[in-house]
Amino acid sequence: MRYFKAAALAVTLMIFAGLSSLSAAFAKTPINAVATVGMVADAVRAVGGDNVTVEALMGTGIDPHSYRQTRSDVVKMGRADAIFANGLFLEAQMEDLLLKLQKRKPVFFIGETIDSAKLEGSTAYTGRYDPHVWMSPTLWKGAVDGVTEAFISIDPENEQEYRDNAAAYLVQVQELADYGDKILKTVPQERRVLVTAHDAFTYLGRDFDLEVVGVQGISTNSEAGLQRIEELVDLLVDRKITAVFVELSVSERNVRALVEGAEAKGHKVEVGGELFSDAMGQSNTYEGTYIGMIDHNMTSITRALGGEAPARGMQGKLGAGH
């Protein structure tokens, strides 16, 4: 009899142990997060760590200003535990859907957690702000803080882990800011003009004392007319600017028109490189991370404008040809 009682107790303990391990397994199920753009996904992945799986809806070369969600995007967001967007009207065509989803599940606009006093007004939309906050490592720290608080709000038990992950990531972001400050200072004063396809680099220019000129406005939905092209050609000629930049997620057409227009007036202008503006590089590459994306931009700009920067960037990881 004692044997049977002991056996029954052992079986009961095994059942409870099994239930306990199942419970622990379920408790460790990662948070299923969806991010709109790669820069946001990178911050979410860094802060979330092992507690999160992250998928970005928009990959390299995709323009978030004009992007409209697909059916599969809607399905992914519907299944997600949390959605992370940049906000500040970057995802202009998706904003209504994101706000509707916010009534049913956690949707975080991390760019909007940054103190608005630190933001620049939008030249494209009245009452809005320039959404390209990732171009400033200093501003991006505020967005990372927003991601951290978002995770803590939905998973308070792992607060310390999120804070530790964020702290480690922010060390890298600060190193990036320091690197930019060091190399961009070497660009000669008369060459500190950054001409790009659209006005996505204002915060970078503000941080590192560069004059920024975009062919198009803050949103790529704005059109650059012939008069605008002519004005910028005159700027290139009058100020003897020798390099302009194309962008990965924006058509090269307008920038090429500047080069041709300047050449017609006897002034040689070269394309100084391709910059990452609203999307990162290919996944599984250094340029496919936030740090690598901005490292690429800073390094390319510095070298093209006559400054001094290592060809392979801050960490020696940039691809050949930078």
Side-chain angles (χ1 to χ4, degrees):
M1 191 69 175
R2 288 180 181 176
Y3 171 79
F4 287 114
K5 285 183 178 180
L9 179 60
V11 170
T12 301
L13 291 173
M14 288 174 65
I15 291 172
F16 276 117
L19 289 173
S20 177
S21 63
L22 280 173
S23 176
F26 281 123
K28 292 181 180 179
T29 300
I31 296 167
N32 174 22
V34 168
T36 53
V37 295
M39 298 75 73
V40 173
D42 193 74
V44 171
R45 193 174 291 114
V47 175
D50 295 336
N51 296 322
V52 62
T53 60
V54 189
E55 182 172 4
L57 298 180
M58 304 179 217
T60 186
I62 301 299
D63 175 10
H65 296 283
S66 59
Y67 184 83
R68 293 182 182 275
Q69 66 273 3
T70 64
R71 288 185 179 180
S72 64
D73 291 339
V74 174
V75 171
K76 290 172 185 176
M77 289 188 285
R79 292 174 177 171
D81 299 316
I83 300 169
F84 292 83
N86 184 80
L88 299 172
F89 213 50
L90 175 73
E91 304 92 345
Q93 311 304 320
M94 295 180 65
E95 185 171 272
D96 287 345
L97 174 61
L98 291 168
L99 290 173
K100 287 178 182 177
L101 287 168
Q102 195 175 44
K103 296 176 181 178
R104 297 194 287 112
K105 63 175 59 190
V107 177
F108 303 101
F109 297 92
I110 66 167
E112 296 174 12
T113 64
I114 299 170
D115 182 358
S116 61
K118 299 177 181 178
L119 303 180
E120 298 287 336
S122 171
T123 56
Y125 302 106
T126 303
R128 301 276 188 172
Y129 296 98
D130 182 340
H132 303 93
V133 292
W134 57 88
M135 287 299 175
S136 162
T138 302
L139 283 182
W140 197 238
K141 289 180 182 180
V144 173
D145 289 341
V147 172
T148 307
E149 296 306 319
F151 272 121
I152 292 169
S153 72
I154 59 177
D155 183 22
E157 290 185 4
N158 289 305
E159 174 178 355
Q160 193 56 53
E161 188 173 348
Y162 296 130
R163 293 202 183 281
D164 291 344
N165 290 344
Y169 187 58
L170 288 172
V171 167
Q172 297 180 59
V173 177
Q174 183 58 51
E175 289 174 352
L176 186 67
D178 294 340
Y179 172 72
D181 189 54
K182 177 182 177 181
I183 64 170
L184 285 162
K185 278 182 177 177
T186 68
V187 175
Q189 189 61 42
E190 68 277 8
R191 301 191 66 179
R192 303 181 70 81
V193 183
L194 177 62
V195 181
T196 61
H198 90 294
D199 200 3
F201 297 86
T202 295
Y203 294 121
L204 184 144
R206 189 179 72 178
D207 277 9
F208 302 107
D209 191 28
L210 295 172
E211 181 180 347
V212 177
V213 181
V215 183
Q216 290 173 275
I218 285 174
S219 170
T220 54
N221 291 326
S222 62
E223 290 295 330
L226 182 59
Q227 182 178 351
R228 176 64 173 167
I229 297 293
E230 291 175 347
E231 289 173 354
L232 292 183
V233 167
D234 289 340
L235 175 74
L236 295 175
V237 174
D238 293 344
R239 299 183 60 176
K240 298 180 174 57
I241 297 168
T242 58
V244 294
F245 296 85
V246 296
E247 299 172 30
L248 181 70
S249 56
V250 183
S251 170
E252 296 183 8
R253 183 181 67 252
N254 289 329
V255 175
R256 297 292 178 183
L258 294 183
V259 173
E260 292 169 7
E263 185 176 6
K265 293 192 174 187
H267 178 60
K268 183 175 176 58
V269 177
E270 296 182 347
V271 173
E274 184 177 57
L275 304 181
F276 298 111
S277 54
D278 296 334
M280 302 193 302
Q282 295 288 346
S283 60
N284 300 318
T285 67
Y286 177 58
E287 291 86 345
T289 67
Y290 171 71
I291 300 297
M293 166 195 190
I294 303 301
D295 182 1
H296 165 95
N297 286 351
M298 291 174 170
T299 301
S300 298
I301 291 166
T302 299
R303 291 172 65 84
L305 295 184
E308 298 178 6
R312 300 296 296 272
M314 178 178 71
Q315 298 182 8
K317 295 181 179 179
L318 292 179
H322 291 288

